[in-house]
Amino acid sequence: MGKHFTLDQIPDMTGKVCIVTGGNTGIGKACAFAFAKKNAHIIIASRTPSKALAVVEEIKTETKNELVEFIQLDLLSLASVTKFASEFKAKKLPLHVLLNNAGVMACPFALSEDGYESQFATNHLAHFYLTMQLLPVLEESQPSRVVNVSSWGHNTIYFHGLDLETMNDEAKYTDFISYGRSKAANILFTRELSQRLEQKGVKGVYVNSCHPGTVNSDLMRHSNSIISSIVKAFMISTEDGAITQMYLATSPEIEAQDIRGQYYVPFAVPGSVGRHSMSQENQTKLWDFSEKILHEKVPGYEGAGI
Ligand SMILES: NC(=O)c1ccc[n+]([C@@H]2O[C@H](COP(=O)([O-])OP(=O)(O)OC[C@H]3O[C@@H](n4cnc5c(N)ncnc54)[C@H](OP(=O)(O)O)[C@@H]3O)[C@@H](O)[C@H]2O)c1
């Protein structure tokens, strides 16, 4: 497959501040390296300090870029998102790229600290809240970008629908459908946020989503070992998996061609979106559902304000 973009084409990022969730391993780590090589100031947002700090040192040593930091973030806890956002804001930095990359796939049924199905909570809800907390900084830092890493797997809900109401019912839980719901949510959130920003007259915050490819990372840690060893034979490297999100995060084409609210696939080309993820009704439903949870679970939450 030809590449519309390569990591070498990332422009110089001196003075740009970028947050990468899940930057300690897999595709997120490849993205953090790619940002660092182009002189960006990077915040690695990960849950396990020992893993993240080792990667911070590895990136600093290999790229000679000292502007690599770690702030702890556990996406299974909305309180942790609150803490992360306030620690980041206390640094009084601008924010040019929020790369919502961290994710889990097809794990056994579990609930987050706040009582929501863990894939939805990690992949969508916490990133929704994180983005809302950081939106004022992204607006002040225009031009800026939000990239929501979705997946082709958003199509697993094709016959099922978004079905937000039953997600916490363990008896109805199917691991890959639940993953698909969370990844459909990434696309729906992207489209809705992009529309709301446009309606507010905010032109310089570009929000897009992507599928990174079928990538040889740790994502299949919960999958059957026979299936994963077969699939691994067809997987691309984490560096190639980083290409599509790094295109959306850094390419001057995003602004020049006014690319917003879109879904891209490898390697940095527009992709087609499943029917449930293109639905305006689902967009609104998901937004209202997410906001309702935050009002209930986050003390003092004032609403997205957009
Ligand atoms: N790999 C693929 O083929 C593929 C295909 C389509 C989409 N994607 C998407 O690409 C993104 C990156 O996945 P990957 O392939 O790089 O997987 P990965 O190697 O498993 O990395 C996932 C990252 O998410 C972090 N994470 C998981 N739960 C978290 C939590 N509660 N709080 C904070 N961080 C958490 C992990 O941290 P720990 O190391 O602490 O667990 C890790 O850094 C995901 O959104 C995934 O859905 C991947």
Side-chain angles (χ1 to χ4, degrees):
M1 195 186 302
K3 289 179 180 156
H4 174 64
F5 187 76
T6 64
L7 299 183
D8 292 336
Q9 286 173 271
I10 298 170
D12 179 50
M13 301 284 289
T14 303
K16 303 286 184 194
V17 179
C18 312
I19 294 176
V20 184
T21 71
N24 64 287
T25 189
I27 310 168
K29 182 178 171 186
C31 291
F33 256 104
F35 279 128
K37 281 182 188 157
K38 298 288 179 166
N39 310 311
H41 181 161
I42 306 138
I43 315 286
I44 295 197
S46 300
R47 61 181 155 181
T48 313
S50 56
K51 283 193 201 173
L53 289 168
V55 171
V56 166
E57 286 315 308
E58 190 185 335
I59 297 175
K60 282 183 176 176
T61 307
E62 281 194 32
T63 66
K64 311 283 179 241
N65 181 344
E66 286 298 313
L67 293 172
V68 187
E69 297 183 61
F70 160 67
I71 303 180
Q72 190 168 22
L73 171 67
D74 182 354
L75 295 159
L76 281 168
S77 156
L78 293 170
S80 174
V81 178
T82 307
K83 189 163 172 286
F84 174 91
S86 71
E87 278 180 44
F88 175 74
K89 286 177 188 166
K91 290 180 180 288
K92 306 276 181 222
L93 290 169
L95 179 59
H96 301 100
V97 179
L98 173 59
L99 180 45
N100 287 326
N101 158 84
V104 283
M105 181 178 80
C107 36
F109 182 82
L111 296 177
S112 68
E113 188 178 285
D114 309 282
Y116 286 87
E117 188 283 311
S118 66
Q119 297 189 78
F120 181 84
T122 305
N123 299 353
H124 166 68
L125 185 63
H127 280 123
F128 176 97
Y129 178 41
L130 177 67
T131 309
M132 290 311 112
Q133 292 299 99
L134 298 178
L135 201 52
V137 191
L138 287 157
E139 287 188 36
E140 280 163 23
S141 313
Q142 294 179 60
S144 56
R145 318 254 178 110
V146 178
V147 180
N148 294 316
V149 181
S150 176
S151 168
W152 179 91
H154 76 273
N155 288 300
T156 63
I157 61 165
Y158 190 85
F159 296 109
H160 193 267
L162 196 60
D163 194 15
L164 297 171
E165 295 71 25
T166 62
M167 80 167 79
N168 281 349
D169 183 347
E170 187 171 2
K172 294 191 174 146
Y173 183 72
T174 311
D175 50 11
F176 271 103
I177 288 180
S178 207
Y179 179 67
R181 177 197 290 118
S182 72
K183 292 287 136 179
N186 296 149
I187 299 173
L188 291 162
F189 170 48
T190 298
R191 294 164 67 90
E192 182 71 16
L193 177 58
S194 193
Q195 280 176 11
R196 284 177 185 248
L197 284 166
E198 275 200 275
Q199 280 157 12
K200 194 183 166 191
V202 177
K203 301 279 183 216
V205 181
Y206 295 82
V207 187
N208 288 293
S209 68
C210 68
H211 165 63
T214 304
V215 182
N216 191 355
S217 69
D218 294 336
L219 194 69
M220 293 186 73
R221 61 188 99 178
H222 299 293
S223 303
N224 172 306
S225 61
I226 298 171
I227 295 175
S228 47
S229 50
I230 295 167
V231 175
K232 270 183 191 273
F234 301 96
M235 285 177 163
I236 59 174
S237 67
T238 52
E239 286 71 25
D240 277 353
I243 287 174
T244 305
Q245 55 244 51
M246 291 307 289
Y247 170 75
L248 296 173
T250 68
S251 171
E253 282 184 9
I254 303 303
E255 283 150 32
Q257 299 176 14
D258 198 28
I259 296 169
R260 56 178 83 234
Q262 302 301 311
Y263 171 75
Y264 271 56
V265 297
F267 290 100
V269 293
S272 56
V273 173
R275 60 182 176 138
H276 297 298
S277 309
M278 289 189 71
S279 149
Q280 181 70 51
E281 189 190 336
N282 278 346
Q283 269 175 234
T284 314
K285 220 186 208 177
L286 176 73
W287 186 280
D288 293 346
F289 186 81
S290 309
E291 277 284 272
K292 187 166 176 286
I293 296 173
L294 297 184
H295 280 293
E296 282 171 14
K297 301 289 180 182
V298 178
Y301 183 64
E302 289 176 354
I306 185 167

